[in-house]
Amino acid sequence: KTTNPSGTGQKRVPDIVTLTINPAIDIFVNVEHVEPTRKLRCSPPKRDPGGGGINVARAAHRLGGDVAAIYPTGGALGKLLHRLVEREGIDSVVTPSHVETRENFTAYEEESGLQYRFVLPGSTLHRAEWEACLDKLATLPAKPKFVVASGSIPPGVPDDFYAMVARHAKKLGARMVLDTSGAALGAALEEGVALIKPNQNELAEFLGKPLNRDAERIAACRKLIADGRTQAVALTLGEEGALLVTAGEALRAAPLQIEVASAVGAGDSFLGGLMAALAAGQSTKEAFRMAVAAGSAAVMSPGTELCREDDVRRLLAKVKISEAAEATR
């Protein structure tokens, strides 16, 4: 286990450093039936640390990744978040916020098997508060292999925040990996990154066109690569599987036949698995295999739970990776 990167005397940093500018406590409950007005009696709540980068760090750590997480915290919920992250054995580099850390709420309706997800925007951060996260990244005592920025941008943080993160990553000599959407994604792509991990809806919305076939998806990814905006695209397709596209290859992962318990955390687990494998020196194909197994394992886990290592290892051999046929047409 590494020592805390924010401490003194640190000679090295983990292979993977995640940055989460909009962290959260994720609350999950079961309820028999959802309907308006009446009081809904819920199960005791389960609380997990959340926010894109924190979840990526948790998944990567479970799969052997050497990781630390940078994120702001505020109030009693911020202290709880810090405790929950550290309880999982992940080093935290926290910065103070004047606002309470946000919560997200997910309710599982037992009668229908449906999930209802309520995602809060997060409170407004002051400039000094979001700049403090950048400063923590810029002053790391040694370079990580990867900087992973993931999740939404809270109020008060500019759309080009992740572009700033990308510039700092370049100065560190680290590879920048990004999982976000909308204007924040566009600004970071203008700066240029090593890899992005959108889902199909996010990429289609960003490009303003449908991406219903692999040929269209691969062409869209290749255009981003040819324009120098990213070196690779890991595109998750839900129950259709996933694609990993670089300038030289397009890999296709077939979907696994598994029982779906919850879709929460699948994308973060996918990216955590990808990063753990790449940081360990595995090939692109084997890292993609790990990512698909991790994302699928998360779908098997109830509530807001991420992938479990045993499930990932069991699914690995079942993941089928092939060259995407559409890439050569």
Side-chain angles (χ1 to χ4, degrees):
K1 185 178 186 301
T2 61
T3 56
N4 194 320
S6 61
T8 58
Q10 174 80 1
K11 299 297 185 185
R12 53 179 288 278
V13 294
D15 292 334
I16 305 162
V17 172
T18 68
L19 196 155
T20 312
I21 196 60
N22 202 16
I25 295 289
D26 288 332
I27 301 173
F28 178 82
V29 299
N30 287 351
V31 62
E32 184 178 351
H33 176 69
V34 175
E35 60 179 283
T37 309
R38 68 180 285 261
K39 293 180 180 178
L40 306 177
R41 304 295 179 183
C42 301
S43 66
K46 183 177 185 295
R47 290 180 172 87
D48 290 309
I54 288 175
N55 282 339
V56 172
R58 294 170 63 210
H61 176 74
R62 293 180 184 188
L63 298 173
D66 184 14
V67 61
I70 300 173
Y71 55 97
T73 61
L77 290 174
K79 292 177 182 176
L80 173 61
L81 176 64
H82 190 185
R83 287 202 306 274
L84 290 174
V85 173
E86 297 246 310
R87 185 183 297 170
E88 294 199 27
I90 297 165
D91 289 327
S92 292
V93 183
V94 297
T95 61
S97 167
H98 77 289
V99 288
E100 192 79 37
T101 294
R102 70 180 176 133
E103 296 174 289
N104 293 323
F105 183 80
T106 300
Y108 175 79
E109 186 182 49
E110 296 170 344
E111 185 180 276
S112 66
L114 297 175
Q115 278 188 348
Y116 294 84
R117 300 175 65 184
F118 301 88
V119 179
L120 304 187
S123 300
T124 302
L125 290 184
H126 292 159
R127 182 184 184 95
E129 292 170 337
W130 57 260
E131 282 185 339
C133 290
L134 293 176
D135 290 342
K136 289 293 185 185
L137 178 62
T139 57
L140 287 173
K143 72 171 186 177
K145 292 179 181 176
F146 297 96
V147 171
V148 182
S150 178
S152 59
I153 299 285
V157 178
D159 287 340
D160 65 345
F161 176 78
Y162 287 142
M164 299 181 210
V165 175
R167 285 196 288 276
H168 283 299
K170 287 176 184 175
K171 290 177 182 176
L172 286 170
R175 300 181 70 195
M176 169 74 173
V177 176
L178 180 65
D179 183 6
T180 193
S181 58
L185 172 62
L189 286 174
E190 287 301 311
E191 180 66 31
V193 299
L195 182 144
I196 59 171
K197 192 224 71 66
N199 61 38
Q200 177 172 313
N201 289 338
E202 289 168 342
L203 188 60
E205 183 178 315
F206 175 71
L207 296 175
K209 59 183 179 182
L211 300 172
N212 298 321
R213 296 171 50 245
D214 275 4
E216 296 167 344
R217 298 160 179 161
I218 293 167
C221 294
R222 284 266 163 82
K223 179 70 164 59
L224 291 173
I225 294 166
D227 289 346
R229 303 171 87 181
T230 184
Q231 296 169 25
V233 181
L235 182 64
T236 52
L237 304 170
E239 58 189 24
E240 288 188 57
L243 284 164
L244 181 62
V245 183
T246 66
E249 62 184 343
L251 301 175
R252 186 67 161 90
L256 292 175
Q257 299 304 309
I258 54 176
E259 188 167 334
V260 175
S262 168
V264 179
D268 293 332
S269 292
F270 176 100
L271 187 54
L274 185 72
M275 300 320 301
L278 288 175
Q282 294 188 27
S283 68
T284 303
K285 183 175 182 179
E286 291 311 306
F288 186 37
R289 185 186 305 280
M290 177 72 81
V292 174
S296 300
V299 169
M300 296 166 55
S301 301
T304 53
E305 185 54 75
L306 301 176
C307 61
R308 298 166 178 156
E309 184 183 8
D310 289 349
D311 291 332
V312 177
R313 304 297 176 192
R314 183 167 50 81
L315 291 175
L316 261 178
K318 299 181 180 181
V319 177
K320 292 182 170 58
I321 306 289
S322 60
E323 282 284 342
E326 283 79 359
T328 58
R329 289 180 184 172

